[in-house]
Each structure stands twice: as structure tokens, then as C-alpha cells.
Amino acid sequence: MYFSTTLIAYIIDYFFAEFEKIKFLKHPIIYMGGYIKWFEKRFYLDNIYRGFILTLSLICIVFSITYIFTFVDNILFQGFLCSFAISSKMLYESVKNVINSTDSKYAISMLVSRDTKEMNESEINKAAIETYAENLSDGVIAPLFYMICFGLVGAFVYKAINTLDSMVGYRNEKYENFGKVSAKLDDIANYIPARITALLIALLFLSKKAFLNFNRYGKKHESLNAGLPISAMALALDLKLGGPTSYFGIIKDKPYFGDGKKEITKEDVKKALSIKRSLDIFIVVLLSLFTIFSY
């Protein structure tokens, strides 16, 4: 287990947020995304096998590069590299910017794939809470989970899988076959983290309602995992998230998650974001205790 490395990585992310202000330091996800675009441009075919080759090749590349870095036996260096796999502070700041921005439609369009031009304020706020809840799993808990279990290699292999899913894992005419392996692998990789995230949301908001019912609402989502943290957040804040949503000009009749109010305000977004403080304390204390008692 890599408790101390994960602790250092989380603390670095807390203060420096993926070093986003250092212009010459490109995030590894940019390189992963560049490879996916290059492969798709050169080798795309509408079949599962070609998508499998994309998935396998990227995972092998990421595994090989990160494995080489593990030979540097320095815990601070390992923690520094691992911090790039965590998006806690960047996620928080991005969602906070939605409610603080003078152009909230543009701000939310940078975070979601749904249509945003015709959104009203409540829909913008709803989208902000949904993306925050879902990405607490994808961007925070899942990388931490694989980092603890497998160190640098585990964290970045997970990020490769998640990046593949975000770019080609769509159920549409172009990617239904090409992205199928990526999407299924992402479902498997996120199965445990999504449930941990939902439980943490219920725990940190001290919501018995969320704890008992997140699975009942979450399983209505077409994704095996995404609905669980969204439902936990909705139940903890007494909201009703989800519902009909426009994607690429087509209304998708999504189910509702939660049984609270449908009109979502900026105050509700602030309440959702307030979990970060308690989550930071929980993670740092837990990792510190495991680090101490693992020696």
C-alpha cells in the first residue's frame, strides 16, 4: 500500500492544484488526449477491435512510462508525480467559478457535454452540482483508491482509462463500437470508487437519507456508476437532480435522482462545494493514520 505517497500527493494538490499556473509544465492528461486524437485520426474504424487496440496501446504506454519512474526511490518525487492524477482543488475551483462568473453559461459549458445555450439559472446550478458529485469519484476518490493500492502506475493507468472513456466512450453512431472497450473498462475501474464516493458524501453530510437511498436512485442512471454519487449528493442536500437534458440538440429523458426541490440555487451549489473542507480533513487524517501505523 502507498499511503505516504498518496498523502504527499494529496497535500501537493491541495496547495498547487496540478501546477496549473506553471506554463511550461503540461499535464499528463494532455499527452494522453493527444495520443487518443492521433490514433483516432490515423486508425479509426467503426469496430470494437480497433477500439480495443487504442485502449490496450495507451494503457501499455502509460504503464511503461510510469513504471520506469517508479525506479526513482524518492517518496517526495513519487508524491509530486502522483499529484497530477488528483483533481480535487481544480474541480472545486472550476465549479465555484460557475456561480461566481459573469458568464455562467460559458463557465458550465467548459465542464459538461450537455447543451448550455438555452439553460436557465436553475439548470446551470443543477449541472454544476451533478458534475461536481460525479467528478468527486472520477477526479478524486478513484485516483486516490488506485494510488493507495498500486502507487504511481495504478493512478495513471486509471487516468488513462478515464481519459479514454471521456473521449471515445460515447453511445453514439461514431463511438458505439470504437469506444465500447474503453467504456466497459471505465465502468469496471470506477465500480468501487463510485460507491466509496457516494458513501463519503452521505457520511460527511451526516445524511441517513442519502446513506440508505443513494443506490435506489443511482441505479436508474444509464451508467453503472455515475448515478450513485449524484444521487447521494441530491439526497444529502434535499434536491432533485437529473431529469430531461439536452445533448447535441436532442432531449434525453434522464431519470430524476433524489426527491427534493427541483429549483436549484447558487446556495445549493455552495452547499455541495462545502463538502471539500470535511473531505480534505477526512482524507488527510485517514492517510496520516495509515501512514503511521503501516511502519
Side-chain angles (χ1 to χ4, degrees), residues 40 67 91 117-118 155 161 183 238 273:
E40 183 179 353
Y67 184 72
L91 172 62
K117 288 184 179 180
E118 303 302 321
I161 293 169
D238 198 26
L273 290 172

Short mmCIF file of all heavy atoms in Angstrom, two decimals, residues 40 67 91 117-118 155 161 183 238 273:
data_model
loop_
_atom_site.label_atom_id
_atom_site.label_comp_id
_atom_site.label_asym_id
_atom_site.label_seq_id
_atom_site.Cartn_x
_atom_site.Cartn_y
_atom_site.Cartn_z
N GLU A 40 -7.00 8.02 -33.33
CA GLU A 40 -8.31 8.06 -33.97
C GLU A 40 -8.21 8.61 -35.39
O GLU A 40 -8.85 8.09 -36.32
CB GLU A 40 -9.26 8.92 -33.13
CG GLU A 40 -10.67 8.97 -33.67
CD GLU A 40 -11.60 9.82 -32.82
OE1 GLU A 40 -11.18 10.27 -31.73
OE2 GLU A 40 -12.75 10.04 -33.25
N TYR A 67 6.03 3.07 -14.90
CA TYR A 67 6.81 2.02 -14.25
C TYR A 67 8.29 2.41 -14.20
O TYR A 67 8.98 2.15 -13.20
CB TYR A 67 6.63 0.70 -14.98
CG TYR A 67 7.34 -0.47 -14.29
CD1 TYR A 67 6.85 -0.99 -13.10
CD2 TYR A 67 8.50 -1.01 -14.84
CE1 TYR A 67 7.49 -2.05 -12.47
CE2 TYR A 67 9.15 -2.07 -14.21
CZ TYR A 67 8.63 -2.57 -13.03
OH TYR A 67 9.28 -3.62 -12.41
N LEU A 91 -11.12 20.84 -9.58
CA LEU A 91 -12.55 20.58 -9.71
C LEU A 91 -13.36 21.58 -8.88
O LEU A 91 -14.33 22.17 -9.36
CB LEU A 91 -12.86 19.15 -9.25
CG LEU A 91 -14.33 18.76 -9.14
CD1 LEU A 91 -15.02 18.84 -10.50
CD2 LEU A 91 -14.48 17.36 -8.55
N LYS A 117 -26.66 26.58 -24.10
CA LYS A 117 -27.10 27.89 -24.60
C LYS A 117 -28.47 28.30 -24.08
O LYS A 117 -28.72 29.48 -23.82
CB LYS A 117 -27.09 27.91 -26.13
CG LYS A 117 -25.70 27.93 -26.74
CD LYS A 117 -25.75 28.05 -28.25
CE LYS A 117 -24.35 28.09 -28.84
NZ LYS A 117 -24.38 28.21 -30.32
N GLU A 118 -29.37 27.35 -23.94
CA GLU A 118 -30.74 27.66 -23.53
C GLU A 118 -30.98 27.39 -22.05
O GLU A 118 -32.12 27.42 -21.58
CB GLU A 118 -31.74 26.84 -24.37
CG GLU A 118 -31.62 27.04 -25.86
CD GLU A 118 -31.80 28.49 -26.28
OE1 GLU A 118 -32.66 29.16 -25.69
OE2 GLU A 118 -31.05 28.95 -27.17
N ALA A 155 -2.38 4.84 -10.39
CA ALA A 155 -3.07 6.13 -10.54
C ALA A 155 -3.16 6.55 -11.99
O ALA A 155 -4.21 7.00 -12.46
CB ALA A 155 -2.34 7.20 -9.72
N ILE A 161 -7.53 5.15 -18.53
CA ILE A 161 -8.84 4.54 -18.77
C ILE A 161 -9.94 5.59 -18.74
O ILE A 161 -10.82 5.63 -19.60
CB ILE A 161 -9.12 3.45 -17.72
CG1 ILE A 161 -8.15 2.28 -17.89
CG2 ILE A 161 -10.56 2.96 -17.79
CD1 ILE A 161 -8.16 1.27 -16.76
N ALA A 183 -15.32 2.22 -22.64
CA ALA A 183 -16.46 2.48 -21.76
C ALA A 183 -16.64 1.36 -20.74
O ALA A 183 -16.87 1.61 -19.55
CB ALA A 183 -17.73 2.67 -22.58
N ASP A 238 -31.20 17.50 -0.21
CA ASP A 238 -32.66 17.56 -0.41
C ASP A 238 -33.00 18.23 -1.73
O ASP A 238 -33.81 19.16 -1.79
CB ASP A 238 -33.31 18.30 0.76
CG ASP A 238 -34.82 18.03 0.85
OD1 ASP A 238 -35.25 16.96 0.37
OD2 ASP A 238 -35.55 18.89 1.37
N LEU A 273 -20.39 22.28 -2.60
CA LEU A 273 -18.95 22.54 -2.56
C LEU A 273 -18.40 22.52 -1.14
O LEU A 273 -17.20 22.29 -0.94
CB LEU A 273 -18.64 23.89 -3.20
CG LEU A 273 -18.84 23.98 -4.72
CD1 LEU A 273 -18.69 25.43 -5.19
CD2 LEU A 273 -17.86 23.09 -5.46
#
